Amino acid sequence: MNQAPENYALLTVEGKEIQLPLIIGSEGEKGIDISGLRRDTSCVTIDPGFMNTASCYSQITYIDGEKGILRYRGYDIQELCKKVMFVDVAYLLVHGELPGESERRNFSRQLNLNSMIHEDMRRFFDNFPQGAHPMCILSTMINAMAAFYPQVDLKSMADNIDDSCARVISIVRTMAAFAYKKSIGEPVVYPRQDLSYCANFLNMMFDSPVRPYVISPEAVRLLNTLFIIHADHEQNCSTSAVRVIGSAQVNLYATISAGISALSGPLHGGANQAVIEMLRMIQEDGDVEKFIRLAKDKSSPFRLMGFGHRVYKTYDPRAEIAKMECEKYLASSGYTDPLLDVARRVEEAARKDSYFIDRQLYPNVDFYTGILYRALGIPENMFTVMFALARLPGWVAHWKEMIGDSTKLVRPRQIYMGRTGDEAKREIEKRSIAAHLI
Ligand code: SDX
C-alpha cells in the first residue's frame, strides 16, 4: 500500500487509488475533502443524519464534544457568562469581535430603534386562535416581515447587516412577548427605550396596567446567562436549516423562519418543554427507576428528554451552567421547584446506569433550563420560544458567513434504491388506458 503524502487520505475504488486532501481546523479537527470524489471515482458518500459529515468551514463556534468545550469566536461560554451581556455575545457572533463602547452604544441604539413592530403586523396577533403555539406564531410573523420590510435583497441586508441583525434580534423579542400576551388575553406591553435587552423582554412579558412588574436584576442576570448559553451551537439542525434555505439566496426573514420551524421539533429545541412534561409525569408516578427502564426499552418510544447529544459525549457545558444556576438562582430568589429534585434524581439514576454510560448519554442544554424558565415565570409553551430568541444571533451569524463565502446552493446527492427503469417498463406494458377513456 502506497504511503499517502502527509496531508492526504488514500482511497482505492475499484482498483483506482486517489488522494483526498486532509483538512486540519484551527483547533485540530480533521476532515477529508471529498469535493473531487465523484469526478475521480463516480462515487458519492452516504452518511444519514450527517453524523460524520462537515457541511462547511466556519469561524463562529467551536465545540469539543469529548471534552465538553463550547466557544463563541474562541471565547469559552463560561467566561462570556461571567464577563459580558447577551447583547455583547450577539455582536460577537455576528461581527467576530466583542463590541467596544461605541459599537455597543450603536448596537443598543439599533436594537431599540428596531424593537417596535409595524402596527399592521401587531393586528395579525388578533387573528391567531387562542391556543396557537407561540413557535408557530413566531415563524409566521417573522416570515411576514419580508412584506413589511421590503429591502430584503441579500445585498442590501448584508451591506446593512447591523441593521438587519438588530431588527431580527429585537423585533422577534417583541413578537415573542406579544404572542405570550395574546395567549393570556392581556393587552400587549410595548418595548421601553430605557431598558436593557433582557429587562425589556421580561417587562413586555409580565408588566400589566393593573399589576406593574418589578424588574429584578437577578432575574435579568439569569436571563442573560440563559440567552448566552443558547446563542449558537455550530451546525445543529436549525442552523443547518438556515444555511440550506439561505444558500438558495432566500431573504433573511424567510431563512430565520425556517430555523424557528426546525428548532420547534421535540428532538431539537422543543426538548426543553418536553423535559418539564417528562419530569412532571415522573413526579406524579413517583418511580424514577421505571422511567429509566422505559428509556432503555427499545420497544418503547419513550426517551429521556434532555439526555444525550449528537456531539457531546460528556456533560454538555451548558447543562453544567444551567444546573449551577438552578442552585444559585433558586436559593437567592427563595423560589422552590419540586421538579428540580426529580431532575436531580433522574440524572443520578441515569448516570449510574450502564445503558447511559456505555452510550455516553449525559444531560444536555435542555435538561435543567426548563426549571430556570419556570423560576422566571415563563410558561412552558414559551420555553422553545426562549431558545429561538437566544439562537437568533447564531442564525444571523451563520447566514452572514454563508452569503459571504460565495456559497454554492446546498443540494446533496442520494443513492437511489427504488424500482429500476426496466422493472417499470415491464409493469406499465401490462396496463392500458382503453378501459378508462370514457
Ligand atoms: C438540542 O445539535 C445540537 O447542537 C442541538 C442543540 C443546540 O444547541 O442546537 O444542542 C440543542 O437539540 C439538544 C438535544 C435535545 N434533544 C433531546 O434531549 C431529546 C432526547 N435526546 C435524543 O433524542 C438524542 O440523544 C438526540 C436526538 C439528541 C441525539 O441522538 P443521536 O445523536 O441521533 O443518537 P442516537 O439517537 O443514534 O442514539 C444513540 C443511542 C441509541 O441507542 P442504540 O441504538 O445504540 O441502542 O443512544 C440512545 C439511542 O436509542 N439514546 C437514548 C437517548 N438518546 C440517545 N436513549 C434514551 N434516551 C435518550 N435521550
Side-chain angles (χ1 to χ4, degrees), residues 53 57 77 92 104 115 152 187 211 214 218 237 249 379 398 418:
T53 299
Y57 296 103
I77 55 164
L92 169 68
R104 194 183 200 289
S115 57
V152 290
R211 191 188 58 251
V214 177
E218 192 47 20
C237 178
Q249 301 202 351
H398 283 275

Side-chain angles (χ1 to χ4, degrees), residues 171-244:
I171 281 187
V172 182
R173 171 195 50 174
T174 304
M175 288 176 177
F178 281 18
Y180 169 62
K181 285 295 195 187
K182 158 76 192 170
S183 72
I184 59 173
E186 283 193 8
V188 297
V189 173
Y190 284 91
R192 283 172 37 184
Q193 52 81 31
D194 62 323
L195 293 178
S196 68
Y197 184 89
C198 287
N200 230 332
F201 175 71
L202 290 171
N203 192 60
M204 286 192 275
M205 284 283 287
F206 301 122
D207 194 29
S208 110
V210 295
R211 191 188 58 251
Y213 176 65
V214 177
I215 299 171
S216 133
E218 192 47 20
V220 174
R221 182 200 62 76
L222 173 61
L223 187 56
N224 266 288
T225 296
L226 282 166
F227 277 175
I228 288 172
I229 65 174
H230 285 87
D232 193 51
H233 215 239
E234 54 132 282
Q235 305 309 319
N236 60 84
C237 178
S238 51
T239 301
S240 296
V242 163
R243 282 184 173 257
V244 170

Side-chain angles (χ1 to χ4, degrees), residues 329-345:
Y329 183 75
L330 272 62
S332 70
S333 62
Y335 172 84
T336 57
D337 188 343
L339 295 186
L340 177 56
D341 182 52
V342 179
R344 286 191 190 113
R345 284 163 47 218

Side-chain angles (χ1 to χ4, degrees), residues 155-174:
K155 183 167 177 357
S156 63
M157 293 199 83
D159 291 351
N160 305 291
I161 186 69
D162 256 358
D163 213 32
S164 308
C165 167
R167 182 175 303 129
V168 164
I169 292 174
S170 193
I171 281 187
V172 182
R173 171 195 50 174
T174 304

